[in-house]
Amino acid sequence: MEQFASLIAASINAGTPLLLAALGLLINERAGVLNLGAEGMMLVAAIAGFAVGYATHSPMLGFIAGALSGMLMASLFSWLALMLATNQVATGLALSIFGTGLSAFIGQRFVGLALPSQTLSIPFLKDLPFVGPALFQQHWMSYLSLLLCAAIAWFIYRTRAGLILRAVGESPESAHALGYPVRWIRFAALLFGGACCGLAGAYLSLVYTPMWVEGLVSGHGWIALALTAFATWRPLRVLLGALLFGGVTILQFYLQGIGVTVPSQILSMLPYAATIVVLALISRNPDWIRLNMPASLGKPFKPNAS
Amino acid sequence: MRNPWPWKLELRGTPSRSMTYLSPVLAVVLTMLLGALLFMALGKDPLAGLKVFLIDPFNGKRAISELLLKSVPLILCALGLAVCFRANIWNIGAEGQFTVGALFAGATLVAIDVPGHAIPGGLGLLLMIVAGILGGAFWASITAVLRDRFNANEILVSLMLTYVAQLLLMYAVNGPLKDPNGMNFPQSKVFSSEFMLPELISGTRLHIGFAVTLVLAIVMTVFMTRSFRGFSLIVGGTAPHAARYAGFSSRSALWISLLISGSFAGLAGAFEIAGPIGQLLPSVSPGYGFAAIIVAFIGRLHPVGAVLGGLVMSLLYLGGELAQSRLGLPSAITGVFQGMLLFLLLASDTLIDYRLRWKAKV
């Protein structure tokens, strides 16, 4: 029972960066922009967050640095994909390749350093049997990401601004005709997505690992991208997906722990293999995906030459 | 978005042909200029920095042969990716296909290269290369199956498979293919020289694979510009509706382009094993498969362009290594340059459809 509680706690810990990143990407994609640069944004944010957190001994400042660097990366993407209307797939790949290189370049001096691990215990609640250790001994960022999930669900479905955001993603031409600044709205969405991916990257290097190694993000950005599709672009399903994938990530350590005689490298494939399998299952019905996907996803919007 | 610059972009009537070819050149020049700024920001002499990237790799026979050697995996992967991208199949898993190719090739050599097995060098080499090609094609076919049967997004699938491939290689060099006399390092034995690719220029590491790569570039040029299969593939990529009307199957385009791409990446992996590396290591690829994406774009998704793009990218790799030894910079600077190059290429490509006009003063 105790073990099960710690398994849940660990899954939440592993799911938090996925949830944060996927929520940001969800907002991007609801606005009709596909940013494949998530991995690159997270990598740069991971090293920026780690460097600042290490230098200032303040994880809070580390998270802020992570979010800001994510936004900076996203604005680079925005300049190309929105101003110059470049191919979003190619531009996102460029952002990922650039982020991989840049983070390795900056991170060289930080390899091998480590930060103290940190969690937050919620008084009284943490002492509850089972539920306490399972749910109430997380880093504050995990709770914040839950709040963010609820806020985004409310924003998308219950506010006027959320409606406009969806309109921009479904039909930028109509939104433009109604007088909404499509590209500015997309820019704002991308900045938000960058900040979320930045927080996710910083979480990996400040809390989850907590240290810096080259390629630390190891596919979390791509898994987050896949999550938005699994979740058919719905925030609460993103939460479920992130917890599920957090669980799969933890499962490999658990299986190793109980002495399953499978080589560790094979177990480490679990999250990637699970992504492939779920992606295949969820995409089986093309109509269903098409029905849920924001209609203008990935298509550049050119109102007129400017 | 309001345009803050003193110029504006004006839509051209027809896309500019000359800009299509000038844009990669412009991107390379701009990358170097930004690179010089980067050197300055790092407190290094920008001219010394540029010399390391642009001149030193051409300094003598040895340097040039290394440049050509490093371009082999980049060109091979890019040749395949160009076909995929032309067919609008976003295979970005060349890195994984390369890794599995190297793994299959390495496993073949581990099996063959034991005392007492009398397999002649040439035959062994051939087997190894075939294994590499099959490995790459097999890995690409997983993406093809999942896309074909399950409609799964090929970008994410091919990328996830890259992580799986790297773990598979890690497993192999830590387990079944590990060198028993290797002091517990995760690597295979060093293969005998009889199974290594013959050298192309004596006294250098440049091997016969470079010549094979050039021949394959010609073959692919013919395939893409002269053959019916190549034509239907490209039509399918640029105008899917027209292709469907003409009866070209998008399924066969998917399979053909992915199998070509996987085979080429797998061949590149085999060449690395039987060429410069000579054993199976966890680090067979310093990101060749990803860099090849840039190479394919720089080369305008054309085989001849891939050769030129591969040489440019090879220059960046060597420059990065030299920057480490001569300027004391982390070799990861190569990755920074790679990303900048692709960004600047995408930005320059805007000039294919638009022209720059200075704004009239009001």
Side-chain angles (χ1 to χ4, degrees), chain A residues 111-202:
Chain A
V111 173
L113 303 178
L115 286 170
S117 66
Q118 24 170 338
T119 48
L120 175 81
S121 301
I122 298 183
F124 310 120
L125 289 178
K126 78 171 163 55
D127 298 325
L128 289 175
F130 185 71
V131 187
L135 301 180
F136 296 112
Q137 291 181 17
Q138 297 289 331
H139 190 265
W140 53 268
M141 194 47 100
S142 298
Y143 303 114
L144 192 70
S145 66
L146 280 176
L147 277 180
L148 187 69
C149 183
I152 285 177
W154 171 78
F155 171 79
I156 290 182
Y157 297 117
R158 292 278 180 268
T159 67
R160 190 180 164 77
L163 185 66
I164 295 168
L165 182 85
R166 283 188 286 157
V168 165
E170 291 297 338
S171 173
E173 291 78 16
S174 322
H176 178 68
L178 287 170
Y180 294 113
V182 171
R183 286 196 288 183
W184 279 115
I185 292 168
R186 288 188 166 180
F187 181 53
L190 279 167
L191 281 186
F192 180 80
C196 287
C197 285
L199 288 177

Side-chain angles (χ1 to χ4, degrees), chain B residues 61-73 75 196-214 271-272 274-276 311 314:
Chain B
K61 183 169 114 179
R62 214 191 83 83
I64 294 178
S65 68
E66 287 293 307
L67 179 74
L68 300 182
L69 174 68
K70 223 171 189 75
S71 72
V72 170
I75 297 172
M196 294 295 106
L197 293 165
E199 56 192 22
L200 196 62
I201 301 172
S202 61
T204 68
R205 297 203 301 163
L206 187 64
H207 55 72
I208 198 93
F210 181 71
V212 175
T213 302
L214 292 185
F271 277 173
E272 286 298 290
L311 291 172
S314 174

Side-chain angles (χ1 to χ4, degrees), chain B residues 3 37 39 52 68 80 84 93 97 107 119 148 172 229 237 240 255-256 259 272 293 310 315 321 326 329 333 335:
Chain B
N3 174 0
L37 286 177
F39 289 127
V52 157
L68 300 182
C84 281
Q97 292 143 22
I119 288 184
D148 186 14
R229 273 262 173 255
W255 276 95
I256 290 171
L259 286 180
E272 286 298 290
I293 297 171
L315 204 62
E321 284 168 17
R326 305 212 173 145
L329 290 171
I333 198 167

Side-chain angles (χ1 to χ4, degrees), chain A residues 227-272:
Chain A
L227 265 179
T228 59
F230 303 158
T232 56
W233 296 271
R234 283 161 213 218
L236 294 178
R237 290 188 191 169
V238 166
L239 172 62
L240 276 178
L243 289 177
L244 190 72
F245 269 83
V248 172
T249 311
I250 291 309
L251 194 63
Q252 48 162 317
F253 300 117
Y254 178 71
L255 289 176
Q256 266 169 47
I258 60 172
V260 174
T261 51
V262 177
S264 65
Q265 293 92 357
I266 304 294
L267 288 175
S268 304
M269 291 175 194
L270 271 176
Y272 309 112

Side-chain angles (χ1 to χ4, degrees), chain A residues 39 76 80 84 89 91 93-95 98 105 108 183-184 187 219 222 263 265 269 276 283-284 286 302 306, chain B residues 1 9 42 90 92 146 150-151 156 159-161 163 167-168 171 174 330 332-333 342-343 346-347 350 354:
Chain A
E39 183 83 4
L76 196 61
L80 286 160
L84 301 180
V89 174
T91 313
L93 286 177
L95 194 69
F98 179 67
F105 183 71
Q108 205 107 351
R183 286 196 288 183
W184 279 115
F187 181 53
W222 300 104
Q265 293 92 357
M269 291 175 194
I276 295 173
S283 319
R284 219 175 16 178
K302 310 177 200 178
S306 67
Chain B
M1 246 173 232
L9 290 170
L42 294 166
W90 287 92
I92 54 174
L146 291 173
F150 295 94
N151 189 41
L156 293 170
L159 210 107
M160 287 296 132
L161 283 172
Y163 290 100
L167 287 164
L168 210 56
Y171 163 68
N174 275 295
I333 198 167
L342 186 49
F343 274 132
L346 291 167
T350 305
Y354 295 85

